Amino acid sequence: MTKSTRDDPENRIQLNRRHFLAVAGAGLFTPTLTAIAGSVEKNNDGFFILRAQKFDTKFFGDKGPATQVWSYNQTSPGPVIKVKQGEKVKIRLINELDQPTTIHWHGIRIDNKMDGVAGLTQEAVKPGESFDYEFIAPDAGTYWYHTHNRSWEQLARGLYGMLIVEEPEASPTREINLILDDWRLDESGRIDEKSLGEVHDWAHAGRLGNILTINGTQKPRFKLIPGERVRLRIVNVANSRIMEIKFADHDPWIIAKDGHPITPRKLNKDDLLLGPAQRVDLLLDATQKPGTKSPIQFVDQEQKIEIASFEYAQGPDNGSSQPPASTPPKSLPITMPHDKFAPLDAKAVPLVMIGGAMGSMEKAMIGGKMLDWRQLVKAKRVWAFNGIAGDLDKPLIRVKRGQTVRIDIINDTSFAHAMHLHGTHFKVVARNNMSFNNGEWRDTELVFPDEKVSFAFLADNPGKWLFHCHMIEHQAGGMVTWIDVV
Ligand code: C2O
Ligand code: CU
């Protein structure tokens, strides 16, 4: 890539968007009822088995072409893993792929050895080998698990699943999971392999897909019973696409972000604008009449595209509790430690993002050497934090356990970035020089072009914690560092 193509006005992205719309609107879908319960075998030593395996899935219905994806246990997404808060989780990853892989438990305040980051917290698991993950999930909520090796390829091929940590008291509320992904397929319906690793995408908004799936299928239909209240667990697992969704005819409550409870309220404008890896939990009251069909929409600029729908049962179910639709839900208990979290005494560290197309990056460091833009493009390191293009030899900051840390991010690029911190959650304490405390914990937050955003967190979990953009092509292209808690 030369300087002149850096300045080109995002041709590729718009092409992708048009292509995406064309496919979405072309009636290629065969709607199917969704089902994502995978069967998980349990070894007699108490470990659940996740086999990373190739698997043929059908994005276009039974008569359409098959698409080979990489899966856990021959289901895409992988099986929903449900555990109780505080329970010991034992999962054995068996790698039956021909590439090394790992599993990262996104958002879990986990023991560092179990964090699954190839090259930082463990060696990637070689083909034919296995690795035992054992951890306790301290917070109830909606999480997910995914590969953390060559994620730009392995995530694009489908290595992810939902991880639900249940509250201690069983809740009678019915749950519906919405796992949103976009895939880039070629004309024959296969994964578009030619575009994997393309530096052009890496330097733009990432590798965007051209079909959109929910729970591994297109246009699923979800049953609702008139009068019931359901909990929706929503996660965006796309490599790089920011997804905005909308519920027609319904006015849900938001009760959690990135797994952590917030005071229940009606939706704000951007609550359903989800960056890669972000989650929300909603409570939706089924206020429509029996037999109603109501769309779940994907918002693309001004357009709304139906990507799934609710279908109301014909009559009220006898067993349904029928709460009055306007009753606000109760807050779920927050288990994040607040007591030692002290934003005012925080140790501050700046993080300036540079790079990408239409950016101002002239040079950056790799392995202690200063490279110019042309060399960086060749090395596929087209982004940098504080002038360093993705080196992991030194942390961004080394802090003592118990310290509150504030990272002051300046996005000096032309793209949005979904910054994710491993091992704990943070609070967004300032945005564009306005400080605030909205009580919300996040593990992933969008930082838009020219924004200044400050994250604060309590560094109470020792270990090496990755901090990176979850637009996975940006991570691979240099937007990655780590924090050392000693
Ligand atoms: Cu969801 Cu570093 O990962
Ligand atoms: Cu990014």
Side-chain angles (χ1 to χ4, degrees):
M1 196 188 307
T2 64
K3 259 236 156 111
S4 64
T5 54
R6 283 173 76 193
D7 299 320
D8 90 21
E10 288 191 69
N11 275 325
R12 168 58 68 89
I13 292 163
Q14 302 206 341
L15 266 181
N16 280 338
R17 181 166 285 140
R18 236 178 287 126
H19 190 190
F20 173 76
L21 291 176
V23 175
L28 283 171
F29 313 110
T30 307
T32 43
L33 277 173
T34 186
I36 48 171
S39 59
V40 184
E41 48 174 309
K42 197 171 181 177
N43 215 53
N44 41 25
D45 57 7
F47 277 84
F48 287 101
I49 309 291
L50 285 183
R51 290 173 198 279
Q53 295 169 316
K54 292 181 183 173
F55 166 64
D56 282 340
T57 193
K58 292 273 195 178
F59 288 137
F60 302 96
D62 290 343
K63 292 199 203 80
T67 307
Q68 187 183 78
V69 300
W70 293 5
S71 76
Y72 297 111
N73 296 4
Q74 307 273 317
T75 165
S76 172
V80 177
I81 298 177
K82 270 197 187 182
V83 302
K84 276 252 180 285
Q85 181 178 4
E87 175 193 358
K88 180 93 165 212
V89 185
K90 295 166 94 177
I91 292 171
R92 177 165 301 139
L93 165 67
I94 300 178
N95 184 4
E96 296 180 4
L97 299 167
D98 37 32
Q99 245 182 40
T101 192
T102 62
I103 298 178
H104 167 57
W105 313 93
H106 182 114
I108 302 290
R109 291 192 291 136
I110 203 167
D111 177 354
N112 193 246
K113 290 194 297 294
M114 296 291 132
D115 200 38
V117 180
L120 189 72
T121 67
Q122 72 169 98
E123 283 304 310
V125 184
K126 294 197 187 70
E129 296 187 352
S130 73
F131 188 90
D132 288 352
Y133 291 98
E134 254 189 283
F135 58 91
I136 284 169
D139 309 298
T142 300
Y143 297 90
W144 64 300
Y145 61 97
H146 63 82
T147 171
H148 217 299
N149 189 47
R150 283 174 72 88
S151 313
W152 52 272
E153 171 174 10
Q154 297 191 357
L155 203 58
R157 291 185 185 274
L159 284 176
Y160 58 76
M162 196 173 239
L163 170 60
I164 294 173
V165 184
E166 295 181 299
E167 289 82 20
E169 304 94 60
S171 154
T173 312
R174 210 161 64 81
E175 299 188 353
I176 296 174
N177 301 329
L178 301 176
I179 303 172
L180 313 176
D181 197 4
D182 75 337
W183 305 76
R184 197 189 293 186
L185 305 183
D186 63 19
E187 270 92 84
S188 61
R190 296 198 192 93
I191 300 282
D192 183 336
E193 293 182 336
K194 283 198 306 295
S195 63
L196 285 167
E198 233 180 46
V199 74
H200 187 280
D201 289 338
W202 291 25
H204 286 77
R207 183 172 174 277
L208 303 177
N210 50 20
I211 76 152
L212 198 146
T213 59
I214 293 189
N215 304 344
T217 175
Q218 296 191 66
K219 285 209 180 177
R221 295 174 299 185
F222 300 99
K223 276 261 171 315
L224 284 182
I225 298 161
E228 76 172 332
R229 173 174 275 179
V230 291
R231 178 173 184 167
L232 303 177
R233 299 179 184 267
I234 308 175
V235 53
N236 175 1
V237 301
N239 273 39
S240 283
R241 188 183 287 278
I242 299 172
M243 309 250 201
E244 182 174 7
I245 59 168
K246 257 209 155 57
F247 297 97
D249 320 313
H250 293 91
D251 187 16
W253 303 87
I254 180 164
I255 58 167
K257 284 187 172 183
D258 290 354
H260 285 282
I262 63 171
T263 307
R265 56 170 168 78
K266 291 295 176 152
L267 292 170
N268 290 341
K269 192 170 127 281
D270 290 336
D271 283 333
L272 297 184
L273 182 74
L274 297 180
Q278 289 189 309
R279 287 91 64 212
V280 287
D281 285 48
L282 308 178
L283 287 176
L284 180 135
D285 293 314
T287 48
Q288 301 298 310
K289 290 199 186 67
T292 306
K293 288 190 178 54
S294 174
I296 301 173
Q297 296 155 327
F298 176 85
V299 185
D300 184 76
Q301 286 154 4
E302 298 301 284
Q303 292 197 65
K304 296 193 192 100
I305 302 155
E306 180 174 334
I307 53 167
S309 58
F310 290 122
E311 287 187 3
Y312 276 70
Q314 280 307 333
D317 191 74
N318 301 333
S320 87
S321 52
Q322 301 207 44
S326 56
T327 318
K330 283 208 227 62
S331 300
L332 295 164
I334 296 179
T335 47
M336 277 296 285
H338 278 274
D339 44 337
K340 293 189 220 93
F341 176 74
L344 291 178
D345 302 323
K347 196 167 177 126
V349 52
L351 188 149
V352 180
M353 304 166 154
I354 54 165
M358 295 164 290
S360 59
M361 186 158 87
E362 302 283 334
K363 49 187 173 33
M365 301 272 274
I366 303 180
K369 277 215 283 221
M370 189 61 85
L371 305 187
D372 65 23
W373 175 257
R374 199 185 38 83
Q375 293 168 309
L376 290 166
V377 169
K378 219 165 150 209
K380 290 195 173 185
R381 298 283 182 87
V382 289
W383 304 92
F385 290 159
N386 297 345
I388 298 170
D391 277 348
L392 292 183
D393 52 343
K394 276 201 239 86
L396 173 71
I397 186 174
R398 177 165 290 131
V399 291
K400 282 226 180 71
R401 184 176 186 181
Q403 175 73 50
T404 299
V405 180
R406 197 185 73 227
I407 306 179
D408 297 321
I409 301 173
I410 296 178
N411 182 355
D412 194 9
T413 78
S414 302
F415 294 87
H417 302 291
M419 290 302 295
H420 168 48
L421 177 62
H422 285 219
T424 189
H425 282 58
F426 54 82
K427 279 187 176 176
V428 177
V429 292
R431 189 153 222 139
N432 301 324
N433 303 320
M434 294 251 302
S435 46
F436 56 88
N437 179 1
N438 61 7
E440 299 177 1
W441 296 97
R442 296 228 72 139
D443 59 46
T444 309
E445 177 71 1
L446 283 166
V447 182
F448 290 95
D450 298 321
E451 274 199 320
K452 283 195 222 167
V453 182
S454 296
F455 297 175
F457 63 95
L458 175 64
D460 66 343
N461 196 354
K464 299 176 171 184
W465 301 109
L466 212 65
F467 184 49
H468 64 92
C469 180
H470 221 291
M471 278 127 182
I472 292 298
E473 289 75 23
H474 293 175
Q475 177 200 344
M479 300 196 100
V480 57
T481 183
W482 55 286
I483 287 157
D484 199 10
V485 182
V486 294

